[in-house]
Amino acid sequence: MSTNDEFECAIVGGGPAGLSAALVLGRARRRTILLDGEKPRNRVTKHSHGYLTRDGVTPAEFRELAHEELRKYPTLEYRHDIVVSVRKDGDRFCLSAKSGRGFSARKIILATGLAETLPGIPELASYYGKSLFSCPYCDGYEMRDRPLAVISDDPYKAAHMAQTLSQWSRDVLVCTNGHGLSPDLRSFLRDNDIPYQESAILSLEGEKGDLQAIRFADGTETARTGGIVIADWAQAANLHLELGCKLTEAGGIETDEACRTSVEGVFAAGDAAIVAPAQLIVAAAEGSRAAIGVNSDLTHESFHPPIPHFSK
Ligand SMILES: Cc1cc2nc3c(=O)[nH]c(=O)nc-3n(C[C@H](O)[C@H](O)[C@H](O)COP(=O)(O)OP(=O)(O)OC[C@H]3O[C@@H](n4cnc5c(N)ncnc54)[C@H](O)[C@@H]3O)c2cc1C
């Protein structure tokens, strides 16, 4: 464990992206601090799927297993803390945490993830992660062949998701929550035998997060036992704004092939840099890539003069 608050790398965010970056940097013997608010995007779900060798693991178990591995590496330090601001001071970054502590590092990896806003439907949050999910690749298999709903305020996204979800169930109802479908989308759904309901959702019926039915403002009710909700996503933290990192059109932090952002010394990985239906394994892979980028740049910077380019 490091004994002072100066590090070679500070990783902000300890979901799969940040944890995986920490593992690679610990193994590269880099003095690294991992700061985590401990609110990963999938915290509402009971089980995570699709991560090879960890299919069906709970989010808490996944985290504990990762921390157990990280504890083996003496140059790593972990803190449950939230970074509230960051600024560049010469060739170092100064981070201030909610606890009042300060940290300084030569490189930063932003692995802060995304925050979701669900459609404004009463009680929706209590079903999210239990019977209504965000992505068919994560939870579609467990809902296979059941009567499902796709809930979205965006008719195009709803129709597109219904098409995707058809691989897991042919009984999918598109619910646009009071938003009208275009004539083209209506005929697409009719032509493909996908039912739809444009009326606003009045309530979700069920117990302890297990959906049983959906009630609509037009007085109808339909039995549904699960489905996909399309949320809006935004960056979970604002540190990239303070640092001046460029964003992609989709709102992800723009990165190159080594996860470097547009600001020298700042790297980004995981959902924060992807902003698309992401997965634990993809976030972890990006964390590894960012850590290798950090280690390569630190190594490169420590040799003078720089290694000559190979020439034939
Ligand atoms: C309901 C649901 C179910 C899902 N199920 C699956 C599944 O089964 N399989 C799958 O592969 N994927 C699943 N996902 C997707 C998966 O959760 C994400 O892709 C993954 O968590 C992204 O990892 P990440 O490390 O980028 O971000 P996150 O896991 O979101 O972690 C980000 C971390 O950064 C911390 N943080 C943010 N800001 C700060 C700050 N300023 N200071 C310190 N810490 C900060 C947060 O507290 C959090 O711990 C699911 C998502 C949802 C919503």
Side-chain angles (χ1 to χ4, degrees):
M1 289 281 178
S2 298
T3 50
N4 62 39
D5 289 346
E6 296 209 342
F7 296 89
E8 289 176 290
C9 184
I11 302 168
V12 189
L19 289 164
S20 167
L23 179 62
V24 174
L25 286 169
R27 291 181 51 75
R29 310 193 301 169
R30 292 292 182 189
R31 274 178 297 116
T32 300
I33 176 103
L34 171 60
L35 295 142
D36 186 24
E38 297 188 4
K39 288 203 169 148
R41 191 158 69 84
N42 66 343
R43 64 189 178 281
V44 295
T45 199
K46 285 188 202 156
H47 299 279
S48 300
H49 303 103
Y51 195 109
L52 193 65
T53 79
R54 291 289 175 267
D55 191 32
V57 73
T58 67
E61 207 181 336
F62 180 88
R63 197 175 161 278
E64 187 41 43
L65 286 165
H67 277 261
E68 202 178 307
E69 290 180 352
L70 297 185
R71 283 192 282 272
K72 289 192 292 193
Y73 298 97
T75 59
L76 292 181
E77 190 170 324
Y78 173 74
R79 276 183 190 277
H80 175 196
D81 211 341
I82 294 174
V83 178
V84 288
S85 74
V86 59
R87 67 184 165 80
K88 198 160 188 186
D89 184 10
D91 64 348
R92 299 193 72 85
F93 294 93
C94 300
L95 296 88
S96 305
K98 200 174 171 187
S99 63
R101 289 198 65 155
F103 305 90
S104 134
R106 284 178 58 199
K107 309 283 179 201
I108 298 192
I109 299 177
L110 298 176
T112 40
L114 295 176
E116 294 175 317
T117 307
L118 298 174
I121 296 164
E123 304 296 323
L124 176 54
S126 61
Y127 291 88
Y128 194 54
K130 296 188 180 74
S131 54
L132 294 172
F133 298 93
S134 65
C135 139
Y137 295 96
C138 299
D139 297 288
Y141 188 81
E142 283 63 38
M143 300 191 289
R144 64 194 181 278
D145 301 325
R146 283 166 37 187
L148 305 180
V150 171
I151 299 175
S152 174
D153 288 336
D154 180 324
Y156 172 77
K157 288 183 183 168
H160 193 272
M161 179 57 79
Q163 176 178 285
T164 305
L165 195 56
S166 68
Q167 177 58 21
W168 286 273
S169 174
R170 291 301 301 179
D171 184 2
V172 176
L173 175 69
V174 167
C175 306
T176 57
N177 194 30
H179 301 269
L181 289 151
S182 66
D184 284 355
L185 282 175
R186 251 182 234 137
S187 47
F188 164 81
L189 293 172
R190 270 194 218 114
D191 291 350
N192 288 286
D193 296 324
I194 301 174
Y196 56 84
Q197 171 55 279
E198 293 165 282
S199 178
I201 294 176
L202 211 53
S203 65
L204 301 172
E205 306 295 324
E207 262 179 41
K208 294 183 180 160
D210 285 330
L211 184 69
Q212 287 162 4
I214 303 177
R215 284 180 55 217
F216 296 94
D218 67 0
T220 60
E221 179 170 326
T222 179
R224 298 284 106 182
T225 63
I228 297 290
V229 177
I230 301 177
D232 281 335
W233 289 314
Q235 293 288 332
N238 284 332
L239 304 175
H240 64 285
L241 294 177
E242 282 189 66
L243 290 161
C245 300
K246 273 192 201 158
L247 295 182
T248 63
E249 257 179 48
I253 302 172
E254 190 180 284
T255 54
D256 70 6
E257 70 292 343
C259 296
R260 291 182 200 95
T261 69
S262 57
V263 176
E264 206 181 325
V266 181
F267 294 68
D271 276 4
I274 301 168
V275 191
Q279 298 241 285
L280 298 166
I281 203 157
V282 177
E286 290 297 300
S288 170
R289 195 205 294 263
I292 291 171
V294 164
N295 184 58
S296 305
D297 285 3
L298 286 170
T299 304
H300 186 70
E301 286 159 20
S302 67
F303 283 84
H304 300 286
I307 191 164
H309 282 292
F310 175 77
S311 58
K312 287 186 183 168

